[in-house]
Amino acid sequence: MSKAKPIGGGLFTAPFNIALIFIALAVYFLIKRFVFGIGAVTNLNDGYPWGIWITYDVVVGTAFACGGYAMAILVYLFNKGRYHPLVRPALLASVFGYSLAGVSVFIDIGRYWQMYNVFLPQHINTNSVMLEVALCIALYTVVLWIEFTPAFLEKFKNETSLKSLDKVLFIFIALGILLPTMHQSSLGSMMIAAGHKLSPLWWTPLLPLLFLISAILMGFSIVLFESSLATTGFRLASEKHILAKIAAIIPWVIIAYLVIRFIDIIARGKIGLIFAGDLNASMFILENLLLIAPLTMLFCSDCRSSAKKLFLASVLLLLSGAVYRFNCYLVGFDPGDGWQYFPSVPEILITFGIIAAEVAGYIWFVKRFPVLSVSENA
């Protein structure tokens, strides 16, 4: 039976070194941001108070980081223990995704030195959806690090602490299912407040449900994506026999999502907007084509048994989820009064730097800590 072990090997490989270059560029612009203010490096304005950092790093990034959430539902809620080897790598991706989303929020806040006020009871607004999202993401990040702690304890052979943690870990696993359910749906609730400023192609009272299903879908997809890359990049034994079983679940989730999505649009009388021929219509069509293509692929058992096709399907699904969330937060959002927004080069490079930090951190962790399952024929 395979067991989680450090992969080992040299750290400064080509992917790691490229990631370091992007991190260095991001650090340069971050220094400029904190010295001269947020306006020095961004194109944010009064119409668009949040841009690519919140849209990608938080709204999309936390959905990419839902692999741990999706696997927890499968393994612990539905008692499918055979998928357990995929839990720890998914958790690691979630740890980085959520931790760096918190960093992104800190970078994005104008008066970052007052961020601690979010956690002071006398300053909180209990009617704010944004507060619920902030507190849930902060708490879930802590929960993820606790869930990942066994990897540290195994590395340093601390059996006593490992046994003690095992006795209470079920509490954190339960929180690890509850908290993402709350804040992923609330990310949709936040755009309900946008009202008429969000195109009817995306505005709906069902936004919380659609965001939650989207997060689960992207969670399963990132497990396929990460496992495919890791087994290829580190020359490990293929896990496609397990991945194929997860892939068989995904089409039913896609169908549930599409049925809700299109019945809602038809019921609200907005189906004609799909054929308007404008940017919103084009992005809506793109978003759904990216979803329908893997749907047809994953219904085919031959495709599910192909590592390359599983990887391709996961990429398309992740792109679809990302485009949907970008559409809701930026493309379909029009604050009026002629406000326009397109991210500046420093904004984009800082986001690339955050992605690069996740990649470099992932490589370092899997080489030094027991994360990936290594079988004898690997």
Side-chain angles (χ1 to χ4, degrees):
M1 183 178 176
S2 61
K3 185 180 178 182
K5 294 179 181 176
I7 298 300
L11 191 59
F12 293 95
T13 56
F16 190 83
N17 292 335
I18 292 170
L20 290 182
I21 292 171
F22 279 103
I23 292 170
L25 287 170
V27 168
Y28 168 77
F29 286 113
L30 281 173
I31 292 171
K32 193 174 177 183
R33 178 261 176 271
F34 286 112
V35 171
F36 298 107
I38 200 165
V41 295
T42 75
N43 284 338
L44 296 175
N45 52 57
D46 288 345
Y48 288 90
W50 58 41
I52 191 173
W53 292 342
I54 294 299
T55 304
Y56 177 78
D57 300 341
V58 178
V59 180
V60 176
T62 58
F64 281 168
C66 275
Y69 171 54
M71 292 311 299
I73 292 174
L74 199 59
V75 173
Y76 301 112
L77 205 59
F78 291 100
N79 198 27
K80 303 292 184 184
R82 61 179 178 271
Y83 300 115
H84 199 272
L86 300 175
V87 170
R88 190 170 286 181
L91 263 180
L92 178 60
S94 299
V95 162
F96 279 114
Y98 273 89
S99 299
L100 291 171
V103 171
S104 299
V105 172
F106 180 75
I107 296 168
D108 189 79
I109 292 176
R111 298 178 181 179
Y112 56 87
W113 59 89
Q114 293 189 348
M115 186 175 174
Y116 68 92
N117 285 319
V118 173
F119 304 103
L120 298 181
Q122 66 269 30
H123 292 155
I124 65 174
N125 175 4
T126 53
N127 295 317
S128 168
V129 177
M130 195 180 295
L131 173 75
E132 188 254 318
V133 171
L135 294 181
C136 265
I137 288 181
L139 185 56
Y140 184 51
T141 304
V142 174
V143 167
L144 282 169
W145 279 105
I146 293 172
E147 286 187 278
F148 192 72
T149 298
F152 297 112
L153 298 177
E154 288 175 19
K155 166 73 176 178
F156 298 108
K157 303 185 187 307
N158 192 336
E159 296 294 334
T160 304
S161 298
L162 193 58
K163 287 178 182 175
S164 300
L165 181 60
D166 274 346
K167 292 177 183 175
V168 296
L169 202 55
F170 71 94
I171 298 172
F172 298 99
I173 290 171
L175 285 172
I177 295 175
L178 173 66
L179 293 171
T181 304
M182 292 172 65
H183 66 249
Q184 284 297 333
S185 58
S186 294
L187 285 173
S189 301
M190 282 175 60
M191 292 315 291
I192 289 180
H196 68 278
K197 295 179 181 178
L198 181 60
S199 164
L201 283 173
W202 293 284
W203 189 95
T204 164
L206 298 181
L207 269 170
L209 177 61
L210 291 171
F211 263 67
L212 181 60
I213 299 175
S214 162
I216 293 171
L217 202 49
M218 293 170 77
F220 283 130
S221 304
I222 200 69
V223 171
L224 300 185
F225 178 82
E226 177 270 332
S227 179
S228 300
L229 274 188
T231 52
T232 303
F234 299 118
R235 298 180 181 178
L236 305 175
S238 174
E239 293 175 319
K240 66 180 181 183
H241 59 291
I242 304 178
L243 300 181
K245 291 185 172 66
I246 293 176
I249 300 169
I250 292 176
W252 301 107
V253 183
I254 297 175
I255 288 173
Y257 174 87
L258 288 175
V259 166
I260 295 170
R261 186 95 166 86
F262 278 89
I263 286 179
D264 170 66
I265 290 177
I266 293 168
R268 288 187 292 109
K270 304 299 181 185
I271 194 73
L273 294 177
I274 299 173
F275 310 102
D278 56 10
L279 176 64
N280 284 346
S282 300
M283 293 303 292
F284 179 90
I285 292 169
L286 173 65
E287 165 196 319
N288 285 282
L289 285 179
L290 286 169
L291 204 52
I292 292 168
L295 171 66
T296 56
M297 290 172 64
L298 295 179
F299 258 132
C300 167
S301 59
D302 288 342
C303 290
R304 293 199 302 271
S305 60
S306 164
K308 289 181 181 177
K309 290 178 180 175
L310 280 178
F311 177 73
L312 177 61
S314 69
V315 171
L316 293 174
L317 284 166
L318 291 172
L319 282 175
S320 174
V323 171
Y324 170 66
R325 289 172 180 242
F326 261 90
N327 286 342
C328 288
Y329 271 73
L330 284 180
V331 178
F333 180 74
D334 182 1
D337 295 332
W339 290 108
Q340 300 287 330
Y341 168 78
F342 192 83
S344 66
V345 171
E347 276 182 273
I348 295 171
L349 286 175
I350 287 174
T351 290
F352 282 173
I354 289 172
I355 296 170
E358 291 185 49
V359 172
Y362 182 90
I363 293 173
W364 184 77
F365 263 85
V366 299
K367 288 192 172 185
R368 298 294 179 263
F369 291 89
V371 176
L372 297 175
S373 294
V374 180
S375 58
E376 292 180 353
N377 59 339

